[in-house]
Amino acid sequence: MSLTASLLTAATVLVDDIHSGVAARGYTDIRPTHGFVFSRLSEAGATVTEVAEHLGVTRQAASQIVDELVAKGYVERRPHPSDARARLVVLTERGVRCTWAAEDAAVDALESWEDILGEQRLLAMRDELVRLAPNGPLRPAW
């Protein structure tokens, strides 16, 4: 398998394992894409336009995803603190708890990687990947 295919396959396996772990923790009504939205919102929220840029999708597609997450109680829209024309999308308490579940699921998912590679090689791989892609973006591989 080529390096490209191996990296993409590993990323897919990791996303699938995290998603399964999140579902096992009771969050069965979300999709992996939602986790990428949560990662963008976790700091201080974002506008729908910023979510669209983060995901690499149209504003309309991002708006549909946000509408879905609002309906499920994971995010809410608030007035933007510095732009009266914009709305800020932020995580609700349920959304924050879901991100914690995802963090725990990620730790669990990487345990098998550590079993295979060992702690030092896994950390070295992380360090090298950070060197290659230091600033993301963290988005689905559509």
Side-chain angles (χ1 to χ4, degrees), residues 12-95:
T12 299
V13 167
L14 183 58
V15 169
D16 289 349
D17 287 350
I18 292 170
H19 181 69
S20 295
V22 169
R25 287 165 172 82
Y27 298 94
T28 58
D29 60 343
I30 62 169
R31 296 176 283 127
T33 300
H34 297 148
F36 291 98
V37 174
F38 291 173
S39 73
R40 177 60 180 90
L41 300 179
S42 64
E43 290 182 32
T47 65
V48 169
T49 300
E50 291 167 337
V51 170
E53 290 170 359
H54 177 73
L55 293 177
V57 299
T58 65
R59 188 183 182 295
Q60 291 78 13
S63 184
Q64 288 178 340
I65 294 169
V66 168
D67 287 345
E68 181 182 357
L69 291 172
V70 167
K72 292 178 180 191
Y74 290 102
V75 303
E76 64 186 14
R77 288 182 172 95
R78 295 183 182 164
H80 195 285
S82 61
D83 184 351
R85 299 168 296 147
R87 303 280 290 164
L88 193 63
V89 181
V90 297
L91 293 171
T92 62
E93 185 59 35
R94 183 174 190 213

Side-chain angles (χ1 to χ4, degrees), residues 18 21-23 25-27 95-106 108:
I18 292 170
V22 169
R25 287 165 172 82
Y27 298 94
V96 170
R97 286 192 311 269
C98 186
T99 63
W100 293 341
E103 289 171 8
D104 290 343
D108 290 349

